[in-house]
């Protein structure tokens, strides 16, 4: 039995008015026992450890609802190119060279960066997902993993088998820190038959589906030419949306698409920065939320961002909607909701995303005693509009500290950086690029 | 005579290919003596101090070409509101309450934040500019100051006299760290007669003019209704553009406006984040640069940003243009140019913005030995797309250290934060806002 008491400003994300300027939170093993003002700990709660952080805000850990973690290996390898040459000449040839071990180390680099920037949970889509699972189990974070399935590719069938095996081996492991979804890549890379097969397996194994949808105008054109429908219409007609689905991107949507997503309770993973950097467009997040669609935030992979910092992503998500609609949409607290409780809902995780009794102790603290957080008029505004990744001081997942005073406790950062540097440079050299 | 040698990765910003992975830079008093590979120090150069920072990048200090520093006092005070209620009911009543001392401390808070985020020079526009000058002289940064001149307001004449006095008292002081411009606020807040008077004084005193131009569609409508011209056309016809002019924002421009700005060598201060947060629009930076217009980056005031972090601003500037045009525009190195050498050109400062012999020793170092900077494929891409304010380790201005190992050397951060907290809360209380 481990009992921990944290005294800090508490932003539990249970409602826009819920804030304890002098608060405390009690944790027993992996769970939150109480959240409230100073002195609100239950009678008889005798902590083994008390963290006194009066100038920190403690809040739920951030949730990254769409990423390809191992792609940190490609950070800075190719930028500022047109989409197709970028993919054909740079990204795909590099990815073809990745070994299982490369993916393990690339994911570990992503996890180092995520923990340091306050992300406690990710939804990942990639290959060699057993390597990803190993990295997550060791790092101590929470994750939902999906095998990327290119149905139209030569390995479509094998990949589907790998995803099935992934569910069998990892779903619910790590004391429940790991769960699994199926990861059909996109409407234009999977046939109707393939998607139906994926859906049968997902239903049989009672897990969700994670898929890229309506990311670019090209995708809209391809799907319309092939099926005479929008990607959302087509996937809906296939029956893909009947269960738990995370649709990543959703940039190019019709009014009817938005109705379908809302009606089918499809959750959207919004990737503001990737959508800007690749010039994909601006997702209609304001309209989606107005229709009641659950939206989480994602960074996408580090080759199109190029970091995994959800503080930057919150800021960009707010700014992008304000630019498109007006200055009042997506106010700060709503953006924080998308990054926490909205992320949890998106991923189908019912016991994280807020700080409340009975929830998992996934939390972070942010050092507010810095010039860019003064004066202290609004903690939500400061977190969304002024904070950066380096402001995170403490990270806890499942009741265990992963970072204290910015020092990572579960990972050897030097080793991870060195391994990824060597491995990425090796691949670049093989591809004859200096 | 002070002699300092810094060994680090050197990004001098003298050209896209100029980079020394193992470099060194020699500084004597306020100036750079040499820049090159390890061992390139001039014969006989005997440093009193050697900084060994092999995993840092040393680069020119960042230049903020448009801000209202003292507005840090309003950080988080009012966000997510429509423009006019935001100004009328929140920002202006608060500003009306500011004393000279408030402005001193608000500016000091801004300077703390700027130094910590790698900004060594700012172009400021506000009131009580002698207070701003005092704060800058003490902090040790470089600054160009302009008195904000609302010609149509009740204090138009007095403010103009203050700006004249500001030139007389401060232009060239602080060993040249301070210089002065005139600050007529905007085409819609100053009459033709007033602007002409300002221009006469600027010419007589041989200093430039800093003005908001074409920030919002409302401004375009007002000026067109009043004068039948665009703001740029109108200011050009008035003769305002004949000397050194910094035009802030320039969001809404016609093709002819861009031609005028290019032909008249008007420099543009681009404020990507403020333009997004206030929903002003996206400035045609790609087109301006294509026509040869010099563009620098600015944060605007902390009430519309809400930080003064030029790393975030670089990232947003790139993303915003890519979203509007395509993924290839404003590649990373060009964005770095806007934040350094472009900023220096915008401000008319000929001896900062690059690291080269004879230039002022205004430089920063960035700690690249962190997970989000691996693998090290591209230093410019990492600085623009992955870095954040907290990555700055060292700041030097005019050959003097202002920050080492993230510790501010010229300012009492605790005192500044406390003063601004007390003063801002006092004003909010007076305005009967909790």
């Amino acid at each position: 039995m481990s009992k921990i008491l944290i005294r800090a400003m508490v932003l539990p994300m249970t409602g826009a008015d819920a804030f304890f300027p002098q608060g405390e939170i009690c944790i027993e093993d992996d769970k939150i026992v109480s959240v409230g003002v100073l002195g609100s700990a239950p009678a008889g709660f005798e902590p083994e450890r008390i963290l006194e952080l009066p100038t920190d805000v403690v809040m739920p850990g951030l949730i990254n609802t769409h990423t390809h973690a191992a792609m940190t290996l490609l950070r800075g390898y190719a930028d500022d190119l047109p989409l197709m040459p970028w993919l054909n000449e740079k990204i795909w040839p590099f990815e073809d060279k990745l070994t299982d071990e490369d993916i393990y180390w690339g994911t570990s680099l992503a996890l180092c960066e995520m923990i340091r920037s306050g992300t406690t949970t990710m939804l990942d889509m990639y290959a060699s997902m057993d390597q990803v699972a190993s990295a997550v189990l060791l790092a101590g974070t929470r994750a939902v993993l999906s095998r990327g399935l290119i149905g139209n590719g030569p390995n479509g069938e094998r990949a589907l088998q790998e995803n099935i095996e992934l569910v069998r081996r990892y779903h619910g492991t790590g004391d429940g820190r790991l769960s699994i979804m199926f990861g059909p890549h996109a409407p234009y890379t999977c046939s109707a038959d393939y998607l139906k097969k994926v859906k049968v397996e997902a239903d049989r194994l009672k897990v969700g589906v994670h898929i890229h949808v309506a990311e670019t105008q090209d995708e809209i054109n391809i799907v319309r030419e092939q099926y005479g429908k929008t990607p959302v219409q087509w996937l809906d007609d296939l029956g893909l949306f009947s269960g738990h689905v995370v649709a990543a991107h959703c940039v190019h949507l019709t009014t009817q698409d938005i109705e379908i997503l809302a009606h089918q309770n499809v959750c959207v993973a919004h990737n503001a920065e990737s959508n800007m950097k690749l010039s994909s467009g601006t997702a209609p997040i304001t309209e989606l939320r107005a229709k009641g669609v659950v939206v989480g935030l994602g960074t996408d992979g580090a080759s199109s961002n190029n970091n995994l910092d959800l503080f930057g992503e919150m800021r960009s998500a707010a700014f992008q909607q304000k630019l498109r609609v007006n200055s009042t949409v997506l106010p700060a607290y709503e953006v924080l909701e998308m990054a926490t409780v909205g992320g949890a809902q998106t991923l189908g995780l019912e016991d994280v995303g807020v700080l409340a009794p009975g929830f998992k102790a996934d939390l972070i603290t942010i050092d507010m005693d810095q010039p860019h957080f003064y004066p202290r008029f609004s903690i939500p505004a400061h977190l969304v509009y002024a904070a950066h990744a380096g402001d995170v001081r403490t990270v806890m997942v499942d009741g265990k500290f992963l970072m204290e005073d910015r020092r990572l406790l579960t990972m050897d950062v030097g080793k991870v950086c060195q391994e990824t540097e060597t491995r990425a440079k090796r691949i670049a050299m093989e591809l004859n690029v200096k």
Side-chain angles (χ1 to χ4, degrees), chain A:
Chain A
M1 293 281 280
S2 133
K3 291 183 179 181
I4 297 168
L5 175 66
I6 302 177
R7 297 203 177 107
M9 298 182 258
V10 182
L11 184 70
M13 295 307 301
T14 49
D17 294 329
F19 179 63
F20 306 102
Q22 297 179 298
E24 66 185 24
I25 171 165
C26 295
I27 296 137
E28 192 170 320
D29 295 330
D30 59 329
K31 287 213 171 60
I32 295 167
V33 173
S34 71
V35 178
V37 297
L38 279 185
S40 62
F45 185 82
E46 290 180 6
E48 290 143 33
R49 180 144 179 233
I50 300 178
L51 239 76
E52 300 278 4
L53 299 170
T55 60
D56 278 30
V57 162
V58 58
M59 65 176 286
L62 306 181
I63 295 175
N64 189 337
T65 62
H66 181 67
T67 191
H68 313 286
M71 290 185 82
T72 53
L73 288 166
L74 290 90
R75 190 195 328 263
Y77 174 65
D79 296 291
D80 310 320
L81 298 173
L83 187 68
M84 289 324 292
W86 178 70
L87 287 172
N88 282 319
E89 294 161 29
K90 294 286 180 175
I91 302 301
W92 289 337
F94 194 106
E95 289 190 305
D96 273 350
K97 295 261 179 198
L98 292 174
T99 66
D100 279 4
E101 280 209 316
D102 294 335
I103 288 174
Y104 174 83
W105 288 106
T107 304
S108 296
L109 181 66
L111 292 167
C112 282
E113 186 188 347
M114 286 181 180
I115 296 170
R116 279 167 50 98
S117 55
T119 296
T120 52
T121 301
M122 69 165 173
L123 169 51
D124 196 46
M125 180 193 286
Y126 215 61
S128 305
M129 294 307 290
D130 47 340
Q131 300 292 323
V132 177
S134 300
V136 169
L137 288 172
L138 192 68
T141 63
R142 197 174 299 281
V144 183
L145 308 182
S146 59
R147 172 62 163 102
L149 307 170
I150 313 269
N152 300 343
N155 302 321
E157 288 308 318
R158 203 184 68 200
L160 179 54
Q161 291 309 312
E162 284 177 23
N163 208 334
I164 294 167
E165 179 67 9
L166 200 67
V167 179
R168 200 188 62 73
R169 284 187 60 191
Y170 290 104
H171 194 59
T173 60
D175 303 319
R177 285 191 286 115
L178 275 194
S179 52
I180 310 296
M181 294 178 78
F182 279 82
H185 175 262
Y188 63 98
T189 53
C190 296
S191 68
D193 281 352
Y194 189 84
L195 286 172
K196 282 178 183 168
K197 220 162 19 177
V198 169
K199 181 68 171 115
V200 166
E201 293 299 332
D203 289 348
R204 182 176 68 84
L205 296 166
K206 298 190 172 56
V207 301
V209 170
H210 174 205
I211 182 169
H212 297 85
V213 179
E215 179 174 1
T216 65
Q217 187 58 48
D218 274 355
E219 173 184 338
I220 306 297
N221 299 343
I222 291 167
V223 173
R224 181 162 301 281
E225 193 164 309
Q226 204 161 0
Y227 307 108
K229 302 174 182 176
T230 68
V232 168
Q233 286 172 327
W234 185 62
L235 293 174
D236 188 39
D237 291 349
L238 280 178
L240 200 83
F241 290 160
S242 67
H244 174 219
V245 176
V246 178
H249 297 293
C250 292
V251 173
H252 300 277
L253 300 178
T254 64
T255 308
Q256 196 202 342
D257 288 341
I258 294 172
E259 298 283 355
I260 292 170
L261 294 173
H263 181 252
Q264 298 281 31
N265 296 314
V266 173
C267 303
V268 170
H270 175 44
N271 303 268
E273 297 194 342
S274 171
N275 295 159
M276 295 179 87
K277 184 159 187 273
L278 299 181
S279 200
S280 305
T282 300
I285 298 305
T286 309
E287 292 82 345
L288 283 164
R289 285 174 54 87
K291 290 288 177 187
V293 175
V294 171
V295 181
L297 299 182
T299 58
D300 211 350
S303 56
S304 63
N305 190 309
N306 296 356
N307 61 32
L308 306 175
D309 165 18
L310 281 175
F311 283 95
E313 204 65 40
M314 284 197 281
R315 192 173 160 81
S316 294
F319 285 173
Q320 206 185 353
Q321 289 304 305
K322 289 175 192 298
L323 178 64
R324 188 179 62 89
V325 187
N326 66 56
S327 58
T328 71
V329 302
L330 277 196
Y333 189 81
E334 290 189 24
V335 181
L336 283 170
E337 281 184 323
M338 292 199 297
T340 55
V341 55
Q345 288 169 356
T346 301
L347 270 49
L349 302 176
E350 293 173 359
D351 48 6
V352 298
V354 299
L355 303 184
F359 278 71
K360 291 282 189 182
D362 286 16
L363 56 85
I364 62 177
T365 84
I366 294 112
D367 172 12
M368 302 301 288
D369 193 22
Q370 302 188 79
H372 60 292
F373 292 135
Y374 281 92
R376 293 239 186 91
F377 278 123
S378 165
I379 297 291
H382 286 0
L383 292 173
V384 172
Y385 300 131
H388 59 71
D391 298 325
V392 179
R393 190 202 299 273
T394 318
V395 175
M396 175 183 274
V397 173
D398 223 35
K400 292 187 188 65
F401 288 108
L402 307 188
M403 182 168 81
E404 283 195 77
D405 264 327
R406 289 204 66 64
R407 202 167 54 87
L408 290 191
L409 302 176
T410 52
M411 309 189 76
D412 180 345
V413 185
K415 165 86 171 157
V416 171
C417 292
Q418 204 42 62
E419 280 284 347
T420 47
E421 177 75 5
T422 308
R423 288 165 185 278
K425 293 286 173 71
R426 180 205 80 223
I427 295 172
M429 189 114 70
E430 285 172 17
L431 292 167
N432 214 358
V433 178
K434 254 261 192 72

